Amino acid sequence: MSNYRPLDISFARGEGAWLWDQSGERYLDALCGIGVTGLGHAHPAITQAICEQAGQLIHTSNIYNINKQQQLAEKLALISGMSRTFFCNSGAEANEAAIKLARLHGHQKDISEPRIIVTEGSFHGRTMATLTATGNRKVQAGFEPLVQGFIRVPYNDLEAIKTVAEEHNDISAILVEPIQGEGGIQIPDADYLTEIGQLCKQNNWLFMLDEVQTGMGRTGNWFAFQQQDLLPDVVTLAKGLGNGVPIGACLASGPAADLFQPGHHGSTFGGNPLVCNTALAVINTIEQDKLLPRISQLNDILLQGLQQKIGTMDAVISIRGQGLMLAIELDRPCTELVSHALKLGLLINVTTENVIRLLPPFILNDEQAEDIINIINDLVRSFLEES
């Protein structure tokens, strides 16, 4: 089906931060399959985990106990501080699970039609519930009637949330991204998440964070919420958790951890031995190779380099980011830069029409970081001269 408009290129293989197309041309990957392959391509530990598990057992279903699933749940609890995990296959499914938890919580509060606060500019998935929660009209258009039960407020606007709290008594949760990825790498004020957490406690709402893009080390911590003294009720994961193998997870703590009971939710493939063993290898590799501090170091290199090269240009509104989640916002649409960058041997993305998004792998070396800086410099300067 014509769901996509793919670029006229197909990749044959990858290694580390590099991809090679069918003709043997090499490209530096600064997109990671949209924030997925944090350990790069064909990482030996990931390859070994997949091959070993595929040679033993791939799938049994959740009718039975799955040892690898239990191990992964325990590991996620250890690095997150959360209590329990529901495994699924994608970020959208993880957010669907979170939405169902919020509905259950609302009904326990005797709210007949509980509602969830969501934000403008957000992206939570493309299932009917998650596209309704998403703050992007383009994602929703043509799929009406949308799912009821959501109230939308501007991102990074605490007063708007407080107003909703005063005007509505049917709220059960708030679902928010610590940093908006598809929304253009929008980083909120330092106290935004902390204040939301406090509002949730005061009003008995579930505090739910969509860390599908920010989680698993992308911002320099295992989870973006760990940059502050926070413990959400619900956290959703996918993308970097499997380094390309499809796996999602909905983590819960406190009362939210006990909301799901047998029969409430499920997944045929979710948490099978293959994906769980791969995710365990991802976590172990990030720990053993001490990649979290390296991510913060790379952030400094890239932000400083980009700022020095193009930061003073009038057309550059902002260069921002946390960890390896970076943005260059221009004062004009620049979607054509994706194909222009490809010609220069670099994979990037443009979101919200005027924001260059960079999501490079954690295993990037200093030379590759400098290559990204230099190519972006040439790319932006050439584009601005011509436009």
Side-chain angles (χ1 to χ4, degrees), residues 63-91:
I63 292 175
Y64 314 101
N65 285 316
I66 301 173
N67 185 49
K68 293 292 184 180
Q69 185 182 113
Q70 183 63 39
Q71 290 178 35
L72 179 57
E74 291 172 355
K75 194 70 174 181
L76 286 170
L78 184 64
I79 64 175
S80 69
M82 306 293 281
S83 302
R84 293 190 177 180
T85 301
F86 168 78
F87 289 108
C88 51
N89 311 287
S90 67

Side-chain angles (χ1 to χ4, degrees), residues 139-154:
V139 173
Q140 301 167 345
F143 298 107
E144 298 84 357
L146 301 178
V147 177
Q148 295 182 348
F150 297 95
I151 298 177
R152 198 172 314 283
V153 299

